[in-house]
Amino acid sequence: MKAWGAFLRAHADLVPRMDRLLRKRAGVALRDYDVLAQVDLAGGACTMRELDRRVLLSQSGLSRLVQRLADEGFVGRATNEGDRRGVDLRLTAQGRSVLRRARKVQAEEVRTLFADQMSPEEARTVLRVMRRLSEHADPS
Amino acid sequence: MKAWGAFLRAHADLVPRMDRLLRKRAGVALRDYDVLAQVDLAGGACTMRELDRRVLLSQSGLSRLVQRLADEGFVGRATNEGDRRGVDLRLTAQGRSVLRRARKVQAEEVRTLFADQMSPEEARTVLRVMRRLSEHADPS
DNA sequence: AAAGATTGATTCATCAATCTTG
DNA sequence: CAAGATTGATGAATCAATCTTT
């Protein structure tokens, strides 16, 4: 029960800080980074529907976010030829570039703000517990 | 590094769910509950400034949230007589009542969604690590 | 009618500016 | 001027409604 409070507090202390650092040093928000990274993970291209499954955001929220990423030139959009309801996304060269930089910043920050604060043993426990929590809450 | 991702995901999976349940079954949002609980913890009355220190929210965000809680009749506001810049808050009877109900709901939900998913040993580790993260990030 | 995606209305958080009291 | 608090402008997330294609 105290652990729940500490969990909330840690998130509230860490995430906005990560977000600010990422914006300042890489020019993208944490959520943008997440989306770009997921597209990359799907091989640099995927459809909105697929992204929606991978990302923690409402469908409409994702739609607007991708709109913004497209406006900024980080992804290209085109209607899927196979199923014209779908929209295909592709990382642009600029998108890949910003993603590379963001990855570097993110790796540094996660290390200093998060990973360096716990032993490998503790990290394993945190990983295990957090996964269990997600599975139980959202058995996708 | 994987633990960081799992941490984010667990938060994103759990917190909105808690928030919805709390709204539905107690009529207040998670943040509202937090604020009411903090006022209660301060003995049922405190000043905005004190709340601001205890709660994870910007000063203006807190101001608007308390405005809403006052409109809903959960807290009363009055300028502090000692220092007329300050505003004193007090839980109303209705505020105490809604807080009681929210506490019960919250306790149940934290148990089933969070605490029951880990061993006591794991809970201790999570608590310890989360506290360390907060202290390092925000050495208040 | 259902799936995929977008748009409209609303809510709520933040930063920066402002107002009042010390 | 500094401290405590509020207000204005803006950004981003959600739900519900809508549009298009299957």
Side-chain angles (χ1 to χ4, degrees), chain A residues 29-97:
Chain A
L30 190 53
R31 280 225 153 104
D32 301 2
Y33 168 68
D34 185 30
V35 167
L36 292 173
Q38 292 298 339
V39 177
D40 189 53
L41 226 133
C46 68
T47 181
M48 286 292 263
R49 180 79 183 115
E50 292 169 331
L51 244 194
D52 199 21
R53 285 205 192 81
R54 295 163 183 269
V55 162
L56 305 154
L57 203 56
S58 68
Q59 203 181 16
S60 56
L62 179 60
S63 181
R64 283 187 236 268
L65 195 154
V66 168
Q67 173 107 41
R68 191 159 48 70
L69 292 178
D71 289 347
E72 294 175 311
F74 297 150
V75 300
R77 290 192 292 181
T79 55
N80 179 308
E81 281 311 314
D83 178 346
R84 302 179 56 76
R85 290 173 304 183
V87 171
D88 287 330
L89 307 176
R90 276 173 38 83
L91 283 180
T92 63
Q94 201 190 342
R96 279 189 294 276
S97 152

Side-chain angles (χ1 to χ4, degrees), chain A:
Chain A
M1 186 62 166
K2 283 187 185 295
W4 168 252
F7 173 68
L8 289 185
R9 185 160 306 267
H11 187 275
D13 287 338
L14 285 180
V15 171
R17 174 168 302 215
M18 288 274 188
D19 188 47
R20 274 195 300 275
L21 286 165
L22 213 51
R23 280 177 205 264
K24 173 173 295 185
R25 299 178 47 196
V28 286
L30 190 53
R31 280 225 153 104
D32 301 2
Y33 168 68
D34 185 30
V35 167
L36 292 173
Q38 292 298 339
V39 177
D40 189 53
L41 226 133
C46 68
T47 181
M48 286 292 263
R49 180 79 183 115
E50 292 169 331
L51 244 194
D52 199 21
R53 285 205 192 81
R54 295 163 183 269
V55 162
L56 305 154
L57 203 56
S58 68
Q59 203 181 16
S60 56
L62 179 60
S63 181
R64 283 187 236 268
L65 195 154
V66 168
Q67 173 107 41
R68 191 159 48 70
L69 292 178
D71 289 347
E72 294 175 311
F74 297 150
V75 300
R77 290 192 292 181
T79 55
N80 179 308
E81 281 311 314
D83 178 346
R84 302 179 56 76
R85 290 173 304 183
V87 171
D88 287 330
L89 307 176
R90 276 173 38 83
L91 283 180
T92 63
Q94 201 190 342
R96 279 189 294 276
S97 152
V98 83
L99 178 57
R100 253 195 310 279
R101 187 163 355 143
R103 240 195 258 283
K104 212 175 295 181
V105 173
Q106 166 81 344
E108 271 180 52
E109 300 306 340
V110 169
R111 173 158 301 286
T112 66
L113 291 178
F114 187 80
D116 282 356
Q117 305 308 312
M118 60 191 83
S119 71
E121 168 66 22
E122 288 172 332
R124 272 191 297 277
T125 300
V126 168
L127 173 59
R128 177 165 23 92
V129 170
M130 294 297 145
R131 280 196 174 149
R132 208 180 298 142
L133 289 173
S134 286
E135 276 165 29
H136 177 255
D138 174 33
S140 55

Side-chain angles (χ1 to χ4, degrees), chain B residues 26-42:
Chain B
V28 286
L30 191 53
R31 279 219 154 110
D32 300 2
Y33 168 68
D34 186 30
V35 167
L36 291 173
Q38 292 297 339
V39 177
D40 188 54
L41 227 134

Side-chain angles (χ1 to χ4, degrees), chain B residues 5-96:
Chain B
F7 171 68
L8 289 185
R9 184 159 309 263
H11 186 275
D13 286 337
L14 285 180
V15 170
R17 173 167 303 217
M18 289 273 187
D19 189 45
R20 273 194 300 274
L21 286 166
L22 213 51
R23 281 178 206 261
K24 173 173 298 185
R25 299 179 46 196
V28 286
L30 191 53
R31 279 219 154 110
D32 300 2
Y33 168 68
D34 186 30
V35 167
L36 291 173
Q38 292 297 339
V39 177
D40 188 54
L41 227 134
C46 69
T47 181
M48 286 291 264
R49 181 79 184 115
E50 291 169 331
L51 244 194
D52 200 23
R53 284 203 192 82
R54 294 164 184 267
V55 164
L56 306 155
L57 202 57
S58 68
Q59 202 180 16
S60 55
L62 180 60
S63 183
R64 282 188 237 267
L65 195 155
V66 168
Q67 174 108 41
R68 191 160 47 71
L69 291 178
D71 289 347
E72 295 175 308
F74 297 151
V75 300
R77 292 191 292 180
T79 55
N80 180 307
E81 280 312 314
D83 179 346
R84 303 182 54 80
R85 291 173 304 183
V87 171
D88 287 329
L89 306 177
R90 276 172 38 83
L91 283 180
T92 62
Q94 200 188 343
R96 278 189 296 275

